[in-house]
């Protein structure tokens, strides 16, 4: 009998409290790809070691190390790599472009407001920046951004096309904790909440 061949496994440097890391873990759960996860919470020895080892291409998590040693950074780029060839990337060019539009919007508009407010109220090292004025401004801006999603999701179940895509996984990362960690009034956005429930019901999402 031939000896059992060891299967190489990808390694994900992931921050448990980060929505950017969460969306990669969700995609890995949905695709069933084997991965070894290294938890690198802010301030942890594991994060310091990963930086010292040069394991993080942009000096931050998430970072995905492929089985051949290639390392990828930036959460949305990692999503694209992992989902290529799956149903999570629309085959229609226009729908695919809309999906990418939401992903660009997430990093340029949504994340700098929704995620930043969560960080200011959650991480002790950000407390000095959490002035009442800034928190109030982020709250107003965040509600306006969530309304953009509400308007879209009131008309259809998913952000791009007629099925779940990378756009949904991408925006889920920080929207799912916008109320609990960011203090945003999610009752104002019933369509967004129904969308969050649809994503949470996908296999493996809640354990990611």
């Amino acid at each position: 009998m031939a000896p059992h061949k060891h299967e190489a496994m990808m390694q994900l440097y992931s921050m448990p409290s980060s929505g950017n890391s969460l969306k990669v873990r969700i995609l890995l759960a949905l695709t069933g790809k084997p991965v070894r996860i290294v938890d690198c919470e802010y301030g942890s020895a594991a994060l310091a070691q990963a930086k010292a080892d040069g394991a993080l291409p942009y000096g931050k998590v998430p970072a995905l190390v492929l089985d051949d040693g290639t390392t990828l950074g930036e959460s949305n780029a990692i999503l694209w790599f992992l989902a290529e060839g799956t149903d999570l990337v629309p085959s229609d060019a226009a729908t695919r472009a809309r999906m990418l539009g939401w992903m660009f919007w997430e990093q340029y508009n949504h994340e700098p407001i929704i995620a930043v407010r969560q960080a200011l109220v959650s991480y002790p090292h950000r407390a000095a920046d959490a002035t009442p004025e800034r928190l109030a401004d982020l709250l107003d801006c965040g509600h306006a951004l969530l309304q953009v999603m509400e308007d879209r999701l009131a008309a259809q179940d998913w952000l791009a096309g007629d099925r779940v895509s990378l756009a949904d996984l991408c925006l889920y990362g920080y929207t799912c904790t916008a109320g609990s960690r960011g203090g945003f009034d999610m009752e104002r956005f019933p369509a967004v909440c129904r969308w969050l429930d649809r994503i949470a019901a996908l296999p493996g999402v809640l354990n990611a």
Side-chain angles (χ1 to χ4, degrees):
M1 179 180 296
H4 178 70
K5 184 179 180 180
H6 175 71
E7 181 180 359
M9 185 179 295
M10 296 184 295
Q11 182 163 284
L12 176 68
Y13 291 93
S14 168
M15 184 176 290
S17 65
S18 163
N20 282 327
S21 292
L22 172 62
K23 54 193 179 186
V24 176
R25 296 197 305 272
I26 286 175
L27 181 51
L28 287 165
L30 290 177
T31 57
K33 295 181 179 180
V35 64
R36 181 182 298 106
I37 295 179
V38 180
D39 286 338
C40 296
E41 191 52 78
Y42 182 83
S44 69
L47 179 58
Q49 187 64 55
K51 290 181 177 181
D53 292 343
L56 311 179
Y58 301 101
K60 61 181 182 178
V61 290
L64 182 68
V65 183
L66 308 186
D67 50 23
D68 66 357
T70 300
T71 304
L72 304 176
E74 285 297 328
S75 58
N76 289 356
I78 296 171
L79 291 185
W80 181 266
F81 172 81
L82 291 172
E84 191 168 10
T86 74
D87 291 340
L88 291 165
V89 177
S91 58
D92 173 71
T95 306
R96 191 163 60 247
R98 285 196 294 270
M99 176 196 77
L100 288 170
W102 281 107
M103 295 175 74
F104 298 150
W105 182 81
E106 185 265 350
Q107 285 289 283
Y108 189 74
N109 296 94
H110 183 280
E111 196 267 359
I113 300 297
I114 304 294
V116 166
R117 194 175 200 277
Q118 294 182 49
L120 290 179
V121 300
S122 300
Y123 296 131
H125 70 284
R126 299 292 298 273
D129 297 323
T131 63
E133 294 78 12
R134 189 173 187 201
L135 290 178
D137 182 59
L138 289 170
L139 190 67
D140 289 342
C141 291
H143 284 149
L145 292 167
L146 291 166
Q147 188 62 51
V148 173
M149 297 176 65
E150 178 72 14
D151 293 343
R152 178 67 167 178
L153 293 166
Q156 62 183 62
D157 286 348
W158 307 105
L159 291 171
D162 58 3
R163 59 175 296 135
V164 62
S165 74
L166 289 185
D168 302 289
L169 304 188
C170 173
L171 267 300
Y172 182 85
Y174 282 109
T175 306
C176 68
T177 52
S180 60
R181 292 187 65 199
F184 294 97
D185 182 7
M186 299 305 291
E187 291 186 3
R188 294 168 53 174
F189 312 106
V192 172
C193 290
R194 290 192 296 270
W195 167 81
L196 289 171
D197 289 341
R198 282 192 291 276
I199 298 176
L202 296 172
V205 169
L206 291 182
N207 295 321

